[in-house]
Amino acid sequence: NWEDADFPILCQTCLGDNPYIRMTKEKYGKECKICTRPFTVFRWCPGAKMRFKKTEVCQTCAKLKNVCQTCMLDLEYGLPIQVRDAALKIKDDLPKSDVNREYYLQNVDAALATSDTIGPGGALGKLPSHKSELLAKLARTTPYYKRNRPHICSFWVKGECKRGEECPYRHDKPTDPDDPLSNQNIKDRYYGVNDPVAEKLLKRAQAMPCLEPPEDKMITTLYCGGLDEGVGEQDIKNAFYAYGEIRSITLVGKQGCAFIQFTKRSSAESAAEKTFNKLLIRGSKVTIRWGKSQGKTAAIGTSPDQGMGQVVPGHLPAAPVEVTKNYFGLAAPGGSAPAGFMPGMSLPSSLPAPPLGASQYPSQDPSRMGAQTQQHPQY
């Protein structure tokens, strides 16, 4: 059951940027650091002024976790196993005793040999999909070749290195020994426990901004900002119809924004969660926010004294707010609101009496021509 492979399973970072790479192959050169079985060891230099690298685990253990044989990072996302398993919510408990591990790996080898598809094994291979929003945010899209740099020269740190430019090691200041990233274990990384790199990435994921839904459950409207001038109502509908039934779409072209109102709160929450900082409409990134409560916006700037303004003698009063079927702003009989009453508008119970000695309109002036009755002499 020993491994005899022709080419290793590597990520792009460990392979290097040199397309004409040369490798040395040593059959049964070392034992796997996970299952302790002999396997074929490959050794190569990933590029100029880089350190030589070699495979650390066998291909069975690498296929079981879908990781690189050298750096133990996921081949698809370039992330530690602990981060990937936490995002996909899987738990793969591998046996750690010698007898159980040997029996388990023999079954894995047999399953991989008879499988028609080429893919990962274990709990990861049983998932229907490996896609996750968290993994997409944290994934490394380009190779990180700095990881292949030489180690720091210990003689240079002590001030005793006399090799100069011929020294194959790096002459840089070492990192803080108390830094948790300086203490990494290959078994902890493979089993996905106590990995300092994974814990750092998970803390970064928790610090990412998120859109919290408002406390008012009646709010089902989303604000969509940063729209281009050519964006139409159909473009917005195509971006949001998959999350639920849309009641109305209000497009404000001059301000480059739109308001999307859903019929259900659950649909609005799903749309806000899946489009926040991810939605693109006609190639431009769109800002997603929750709408505000109508009760709060209507209550802003409204007070009991603002229903009727102060009347200044000699000037016309402010025009009353016109209400349907209530042209004078009077309260309906019985204390009920009139038909067409808009929320947030305060109506006075009765018209205020004019102040004494003051005239509101010119026709009310008693000294005005034509205001007094003229008495004609009798003949």
Side-chain angles (χ1 to χ4, degrees):
N1 294 330
W2 290 359
E3 173 196 310
D4 185 11
D6 295 330
F7 196 82
I9 300 175
L10 301 174
C11 62
Q12 182 63 37
T13 301
C14 293
L15 195 58
D17 57 349
N18 185 10
Y20 306 103
I21 193 171
R22 292 191 301 177
M23 289 187 178
T24 60
K25 174 183 175 182
E26 185 180 2
K27 192 174 181 180
Y28 310 141
K30 285 184 177 295
E31 67 175 18
C32 175
K33 294 187 177 180
I34 302 299
C35 64
T36 66
R37 297 188 302 177
F39 74 105
T40 304
V41 178
F42 294 88
R43 190 172 181 268
W44 72 99
C45 182
K49 297 183 179 180
M50 300 293 178
R51 74 176 187 270
F52 276 82
K53 310 193 76 172
K54 65 181 187 324
T55 52
E56 305 290 346
V57 297
C58 65
Q59 292 196 4
T60 302
C61 294
K63 292 178 182 178
L64 194 59
K65 292 284 191 176
N66 193 35
V67 295
C68 173
Q69 283 187 262
T70 301
C71 64
M72 301 301 161
L73 297 180
D74 185 75
L75 292 174
E76 184 176 358
Y77 296 101
L79 296 174
I81 298 175
Q82 185 175 347
V83 177
R84 183 198 65 192
D85 292 353
L88 298 178
K89 297 179 180 179
I90 59 177
K91 188 176 182 181
D92 199 358
D93 293 331
L94 300 179
K96 297 182 180 181
S97 63
D98 297 338
V99 178
N100 292 337
R101 184 173 60 237
E102 184 69 24
Y103 176 75
Y104 179 79
L105 291 176
Q106 287 181 3
N107 295 335
V108 170
D109 287 334
L112 293 176
T114 57
S115 178
D116 297 333
T117 59
I118 300 175
L124 183 63
K126 299 177 182 178
L127 291 179
S129 176
H130 300 162
K131 295 182 179 180
S132 173
E133 296 179 2
L134 178 60
L135 295 180
K137 292 179 180 179
L138 298 177
R140 185 179 293 276
T141 57
T142 57
Y144 185 66
Y145 294 124
K146 287 186 178 180
R147 201 167 63 218
N148 300 332
R149 293 181 300 175
H151 295 295
I152 295 177
C153 180
S154 59
F155 289 94
W156 183 86
V157 174
K158 300 176 182 178
E160 299 177 357
C161 183
K162 299 179 182 180
R163 289 173 288 192
E165 296 181 355
E166 297 180 358
C167 182
Y169 298 97
R170 190 157 40 104
H171 290 182
D172 286 340
K173 184 178 179 180
T175 58
D176 187 6
D178 296 333
D179 188 2
L181 295 179
S182 59
N183 298 322
Q184 301 185 32
N185 191 344
I186 191 170
K187 287 190 175 181
D188 290 342
R189 173 171 291 185
Y190 183 83
Y191 289 112
V193 292
N194 301 326
D195 188 358
V197 179
E199 293 176 357
K200 180 181 178 180
L201 292 175
L202 292 176
K203 289 180 181 179
R204 183 190 302 175
Q206 294 177 357
M208 288 183 176
C210 59
L211 188 61
E212 296 292 339
E215 297 180 357
D216 189 359
K217 297 297 183 180
M218 300 300 294
I219 299 178
T220 60
T221 304
L222 295 180
Y223 166 81
C224 185
L227 301 176
D228 293 337
E229 296 180 357
V231 175
E233 184 175 337
Q234 187 63 33
D235 297 328
I236 301 175
K237 186 176 182 181
N238 294 338
F240 287 95
Y241 82 96
Y243 305 108
E245 184 180 357
I246 299 176
R247 178 174 296 173
S248 63
I249 297 177
T250 305
L251 180 61
V252 186
K254 295 182 179 179
Q255 298 182 1
C257 64
F259 296 91
I260 302 94
Q261 185 179 14
F262 291 87
T263 56
K264 296 182 180 179
R265 173 61 180 259
S266 59
S267 302
E269 291 181 357
S270 176
E273 180 183 358
K274 296 181 180 179
T275 60
F276 180 67
N277 283 342
K278 289 175 286 187
L279 181 61
L280 294 176
I281 297 181
R282 289 199 175 185
S284 60
K285 192 173 183 179
V286 178
T287 303
I288 302 296
R289 296 288 185 272
W290 278 96
K292 296 182 180 180
S293 176
Q294 295 182 358
K296 294 182 180 180
T297 54
I300 296 176
T302 304
S303 61
D305 298 336
Q306 292 178 352
M308 294 292 293
Q310 297 292 334
V311 180
V312 181
H315 296 274
L316 291 176
V321 179
E322 184 177 354
V323 182
T324 307
K325 297 182 182 181
N326 189 14
Y327 300 101
F328 298 100
L330 301 176
S336 61
F341 175 72
M342 292 186 297
M345 181 184 300
S346 58
L347 297 177
S349 58
S350 62
L351 290 176
L356 297 176
S359 61
Q360 294 185 0
Y361 300 97
S363 60
Q364 295 178 349
D365 189 1
S367 62
R368 184 179 176 273
M369 182 181 296
Q372 298 179 357
T373 305
Q374 297 182 2
Q375 298 179 1
H376 300 280
Q378 299 180 357
Y379 298 99

